[in-house]
Amino acid sequence: MTVYPKIVVTPPGPKARELVKKDEMLISPSHMRFYPLVVESAVGCIVRDVDGNEYIDFNAGLACLNVGHRHPKVVEAIKRQCDRFLHYSNTDFYYREVVELAEKLVEITPGNFEKKVYFGNSGTEAVEAAIKLAKWHTRKQLFIGFINAFHGRTIGSLSFTASKPAQRRYFFPLMPGVTHVPYPYCYRCPFKQTYPDCHYWCVDFIDEFVLQKYVPPEDVAAILFEPIQGEGGYVVPPPEYFKRLKKLADKYGILLIDDEVQSGMGRTGKWFAIEHWEVEPDIVCSANALASGLPLSATIAKAKIMDWTGGSHASTFGGNPLACVAALAVIEAIKEERLLENATKQGTYILKRLEELKEASEIVGDVRGKGLMIGMELVEDKESKKPASEKAKKVMLRSWKRGVAVITCGVSTIRIMPPLNITKELVDAGLDIIEDVVKEVEKEKQ
Ligand SMILES: Cc1ncc(COP(=O)(O)O)c(C=O)c1O
């Protein structure tokens, strides 16, 4: 029986270093790699690099492989589709794969109302479609977004993205009309308040200091939010937050756009993370894990909102048939293998272990998450809460060198997001390494 992880050469090994050198010569330097992991193959929760090292995948290909790498059902569906047809622009013609997938998606998306689906190819496209749809339907031009958000890098979605200056530098002017407000990041409350004594001031603030002062609510099309901020640091809002936000939106007739690109498709133990807050958004954006690594996104809206007419929006490859059958297989696998339950079970266990680590450690400031979307925020010390970005980087790199492909988010948060079908044995093997490395880094003087 193979025991994972398996490190045979200290990474990056010679083959990995060679490939990275070529990559640096040829590939756009705008990419920001976490570390030189060069993939040769992958299966389930294990990634093998070109030098023969085998890692436990604690990032699931950036939350894209919720059913694991090369799930047999997904591979089989793609192979079958390869023998039928690979493309026939759904913007101009018809095929059943998009319709079958749309049928399944409207079933699993929150909200007991009729829905329609727009298919694109990436997270940013799902968000662009949502922004355009909100404008088209409401004929309004203003939006509310959140500080510390990530929604993508094309000009529309970038106008909302606000977690790192590098994402926006030199790209102005962006889409006009977006006002950013603070996200409910309770560990580092932007208003220096404490939950629950704050009485959700972060929601009242939007009303009293934004909508009533300088962003006329009758001109606001929508509020765009992540139910859990992903790239911003796996920030989980408090229990009543979204109910209150919805009440505010309803007060002024503003739409809610829920960006589930990272948190959706079962990641948090529910099909979509917003279900934890029991709120039904008007528009939901899905991508990453939708087609298990194939490029596909979906913007799912109330049917009465998705009322734009022919020619108003489309994308040649959107709803590619290979990606659609892969997505159908993903939904089937999540249901049949009860992966929402497994995400909840393994996630609860991981949170418990990390809470114990937090108690024993001076540098683990906060542990938070839902299902298998878990963040561990590192600090210099618990009193100052100063973000320990160098320490987080060390924990990430050393964990990788010891066989756990884990990554960071926000300023100093380690994010744990393995495939939803991960076993307890692999969770334990991965956490043992991460915990060990945290203790090692804590002992070292900066
Ligand atoms: C919440 C969220 N929205 C949008 C995006 C953009 O997705 P893409 O990189 O596929 O354009 C991401 C990517 O990580 C994301 O996490």
Side-chain angles (χ1 to χ4, degrees):
M1 200 183 85
T2 318
V3 176
Y4 296 109
K6 199 174 93 189
I7 297 298
V8 293
V9 189
T10 303
K15 289 184 183 162
R17 288 201 301 269
E18 199 184 315
L19 192 283
V20 168
K21 221 189 269 174
K22 279 194 184 163
D23 183 293
E24 279 169 1
M25 276 160 32
L26 292 164
I27 303 298
S28 163
S30 59
H31 293 179
M32 233 178 72
R33 271 61 174 267
F34 286 102
Y35 37 80
L37 167 55
V38 180
V39 178
E40 174 66 26
S41 61
V43 64
C45 298
I46 304 298
V47 175
R48 189 183 166 93
D49 76 10
V50 283
D51 294 289
N53 294 311
E54 293 183 323
Y55 307 88
I56 302 172
D57 191 355
F58 261 27
N59 78 82
L62 264 297
C64 291
L65 298 151
N66 286 4
V67 298
H69 294 265
R70 291 197 292 124
H71 189 288
K73 264 184 188 297
V74 173
V75 173
E76 179 53 34
I78 294 170
K79 282 184 176 164
R80 255 187 283 125
Q81 185 62 33
C82 280
D83 289 335
R84 295 186 52 240
F85 70 103
L86 300 182
H87 169 77
Y88 212 76
S89 206
N90 188 243
T91 55
D92 303 286
F93 298 100
Y94 298 87
Y95 45 86
R96 67 168 179 261
E97 289 75 5
V98 276
V99 177
E100 283 172 9
L101 178 58
E103 260 176 341
K104 297 285 174 210
L105 279 175
V106 300
E107 255 173 54
I108 61 171
T109 313
N112 190 18
F113 37 73
E114 279 183 36
K115 298 166 201 140
K116 285 190 175 172
V117 185
Y118 169 84
F119 285 111
N121 304 282
S122 62
T124 199
E125 276 189 64
V127 174
E128 293 288 335
I131 297 167
K132 284 182 70 179
L133 177 61
K135 281 193 175 201
W136 204 98
H137 175 76
T138 63
R139 304 290 199 273
K140 297 175 183 176
Q141 299 198 358
L142 304 186
F143 288 85
I144 303 285
F146 288 90
I147 298 168
N148 205 37
F150 188 86
H151 296 287
R153 298 174 189 274
T154 50
I155 294 297
S157 66
L158 184 61
S159 312
F160 291 84
T161 287
S163 55
K164 290 189 180 76
Q167 297 152 347
R168 294 157 69 94
R169 188 172 290 133
Y170 310 136
F171 296 126
F172 292 92
L174 301 173
M175 183 186 95
V178 180
T179 298
H180 288 83
V181 297
Y183 195 76
Y185 189 171
C186 296
Y187 183 64
R188 297 186 184 282
C189 176
F191 297 105
K192 306 277 182 221
Q193 300 260 335
T194 310
Y195 174 81
D197 296 340
C198 59
H199 302 293
Y200 291 89
W201 169 239
C202 47
V203 179
D204 293 341
F205 171 84
I206 303 172
D207 194 3
E208 290 175 33
F209 282 83
V210 179
L211 298 175
Q212 291 183 35
K213 296 284 182 200
Y214 71 107
V215 179
E218 61 277 19
D219 290 341
V220 177
I223 302 175
L224 170 61
F225 65 86
E226 292 161 276
I228 295 175
Q229 279 188 335
E231 303 305 300
Y234 276 28
V235 183
V236 185
E240 290 297 309
Y241 183 77
F242 286 112
K243 280 214 173 113
R244 288 176 184 242
L245 191 70
K246 166 112 179 85
K247 204 166 156 198
L248 176 66
D250 286 348
K251 176 172 156 188
Y252 294 114
I254 298 172
L255 302 180
L256 286 184
I257 305 175
D258 173 22
D259 180 351
E260 298 262 4
V261 166
Q262 189 161 161
S263 57
M265 298 310 290
R267 170 69 27 211
T268 67
K270 307 259 188 203
W271 282 107
F272 292 97
I274 193 66
E275 293 170 61
H276 290 282
W277 286 268
E278 295 173 354
V279 161
E280 295 171 352
D282 300 289
I283 305 175
V284 174
C285 303
S286 175
N288 283 17
L290 183 57
S292 206
L294 267 61
L296 182 68
S297 65
T299 305
I300 306 141
K302 277 184 181 156
K304 66 174 192 209
I305 289 173
M306 196 169 276
D307 58 354
W308 47 14
T309 49
S312 50
H313 198 54
S315 159
T316 300
F317 289 119
N320 169 271
L322 281 183
C324 286
V325 296
L328 283 162
V330 165
I331 294 172
E332 220 174 275
I334 292 176
K335 283 183 181 167
E336 281 179 15
E337 295 163 27
R338 305 179 69 82
L339 297 187
L340 301 183
E341 287 86 339
N342 196 53
T344 306
K345 185 173 152 194
Q346 303 302 338
T348 307
Y349 173 69
I350 295 172
L351 280 174
K352 181 173 161 279
R353 274 194 66 167
L354 294 181
E355 280 294 340
E356 284 164 15
L357 178 66
K358 184 176 113 180
E359 288 310 305
S361 167
E362 186 51 32
I363 65 166
V364 178
D366 194 29
V367 168
R368 52 189 179 243
K370 301 243 180 234
L372 285 171
M373 186 167 186
I374 295 173
M376 171 172 71
E377 183 163 339
L378 300 189
V379 291
E380 293 300 341
D381 60 84
K382 282 183 179 163
E383 204 184 326
S384 74
K385 290 190 184 176
K386 192 167 169 249
S389 55
E390 281 308 309
K391 286 190 172 70
K393 208 169 154 190
K394 272 188 194 168
V395 169
M396 172 184 78
L397 289 176
R398 290 187 198 176
S399 299
W400 166 59
K401 282 181 183 280
R402 288 176 58 176
V404 188
V406 70
I407 58 175
T408 53
C409 57
V411 180
S412 64
T413 298
I414 302 291
R415 56 175 141 172
I416 295 175
M417 46 168 178
L420 310 183
N421 48 10
I422 194 159
T423 59
K424 177 160 181 299
E425 288 68 34
L426 284 181
V427 164
D428 276 328
L431 283 185
D432 286 350
I433 290 172
I434 294 173
E435 286 180 13
D436 222 43
V437 173
V438 168
K439 286 176 192 159
E440 187 184 288
V441 168
E442 182 172 359
K443 274 199 215 124
E444 293 168 3
K445 295 252 177 297
Q446 279 278 24

